[in-house]
Amino acid sequence: MLKVYFNNQELTKYITVLKGFTAFDGAEYKPSITEYPTLNGEIFNYTKRGAKKITMPFYVKYRNVEDYDKLQSILNVKKPEPLIFSHIPDREFYAIPSGNLEFEEIRFNGKGKITWIIPDGYAISRVARPTSASISSNGELKATVSNRGTLECPINYR
């Protein structure tokens, strides 16, 4: 069973993620192209990656109204918080829930969906990858780091 963690809480204590969910879609690419009236075709300038949106359908069966309140308090954030899915535990998204939960309820049972917005559009590695380093004769620390990600990133080292 898929577990989902958000805002340092396990969401799947309160909801069950439904079939059809994937964390791997939702990236929006925005190419910039300039058209010049005197040239054939257009000129490509760059591609900007927009926010990533992940839609997560769910089913819920609350034991009581306190469970509903707890879910709402977890989702009520003022800034992007870590979002982690158990099937890809080596990465986290910094996400905020967006829009209406579109929840359809019958008593304490219901189906709905949460749309997660990841403003920077990327997942962040949760895994420290050790590498060897050496100190040169002039005292500089030298290391070769292999970035296997899709984005340039700063290096934190100890």
Side-chain angles (χ1 to χ4, degrees):
M1 180 170 95
L2 176 68
K3 290 189 177 187
V4 179
Y5 301 88
F6 178 68
N7 195 12
N8 300 313
Q9 301 284 324
E10 184 183 341
L11 277 183
T12 41
K13 286 182 178 179
Y14 308 99
I15 63 173
T16 301
V17 179
L18 294 175
K19 184 178 178 179
F21 164 75
T22 180
F24 296 109
D25 65 358
E28 184 178 350
Y29 295 93
K30 302 174 184 177
S32 170
I33 297 177
T34 303
E35 182 179 342
Y36 292 99
T38 58
L39 298 175
N40 290 330
E42 298 175 330
I43 306 267
F44 170 75
N45 299 314
Y46 57 86
T47 297
K48 177 182 173 188
R49 184 175 176 148
K52 180 178 179 73
K53 294 178 185 172
I54 299 174
T55 301
M56 188 176 76
F58 68 88
Y59 172 78
V60 66
K61 183 174 182 180
Y62 296 124
R63 295 180 301 262
N64 51 48
V65 75
E66 286 81 19
D67 287 347
Y68 171 82
D69 292 342
K70 182 62 178 175
L71 176 63
Q72 295 303 312
S73 70
I74 293 169
L75 296 175
N76 186 17
V77 295
K78 297 189 182 335
K79 62 181 179 39
E81 295 290 344
L83 174 64
I84 302 165
F85 302 106
S86 62
H87 68 299
I88 46 173
D90 63 335
R91 60 193 74 186
E92 65 189 6
F93 301 92
Y94 280 83
I96 51 175
S98 174
N100 187 337
L101 286 183
E102 298 185 25
F103 184 69
E104 296 178 15
E105 183 178 5
I106 303 169
R107 296 185 197 173
F108 286 125
N109 302 337
K111 290 183 179 181
K113 66 179 176 178
I114 299 171
T115 300
W116 302 104
I117 294 184
I118 296 87
D120 64 9
Y122 290 95
I124 309 298
S125 176
R126 301 180 69 223
V127 179
R129 292 183 173 84
T131 187
S132 58
S134 61
I135 298 177
S136 68
S137 60
N138 61 355
E140 292 178 334
L141 182 64
K142 293 192 175 198
T144 301
V145 177
S146 176
N147 178 5
R148 294 182 215 123
T150 57
L151 180 68
E152 291 181 19
C153 64
I155 297 174
N156 297 324
Y157 62 91
R158 290 182 225 147

